[in-house]
Amino acid sequence: MKPLSVPERLAKNRFNLDEEESHIEVNQEIARATGTGRAIVACCPAHVYAEEPDGTISVEYAACLECGTCLAVAAPGALKWHYPRGGFGVQFREG
Ligand code: SF4
């Protein structure tokens, strides 16, 4: 049996979206002042963040893999992140 590629494994994930509450919030001022905005756009494997033409950082939290990489690169106060509420978030199907 041929092992699955990373994109094939990711495609098997299931997401239970919490439509009432985002588990990610960007402090735009701190993100801009510290360079955190560009760092989290660059590091996120799920492309949750995008830099808008006006320089703000938008968040599409539905695709978050809950890996924590953005927290590791963000300056203090630039990012509020917590795991989704119980029953919501990603379900890994292939490890
Ligand atoms: S936890 Fe991982 S997947 Fe989720 S937003 Fe941060 S870097 Fe992206």
Side-chain angles (χ1 to χ4, degrees), residues 23-24 40 43-49 59-61 63-71 79 81:
H23 66 286
I24 304 171
I40 60 178
C43 80
C44 178
H47 307 292
V48 165
Y49 304 102
V59 180
E60 285 293 335
Y61 66 96
C64 177
L65 298 169
E66 301 171 27
C67 67
T69 307
C70 55
L71 281 176
L79 200 57
W81 192 102

Side-chain angles (χ1 to χ4, degrees), residues 27-83:
N27 181 312
Q28 300 292 340
E29 287 183 26
I30 297 175
R32 186 177 295 119
T34 60
T36 288
R38 291 204 169 135
I40 60 178
V41 169
C43 80
C44 178
H47 307 292
V48 165
Y49 304 102
E51 185 173 8
E52 301 298 327
D54 66 358
T56 60
I57 304 299
S58 60
V59 180
E60 285 293 335
Y61 66 96
C64 177
L65 298 169
E66 301 171 27
C67 67
T69 307
C70 55
L71 281 176
V73 303
L79 200 57
K80 280 188 187 170
W81 192 102
H82 59 81
Y83 284 106

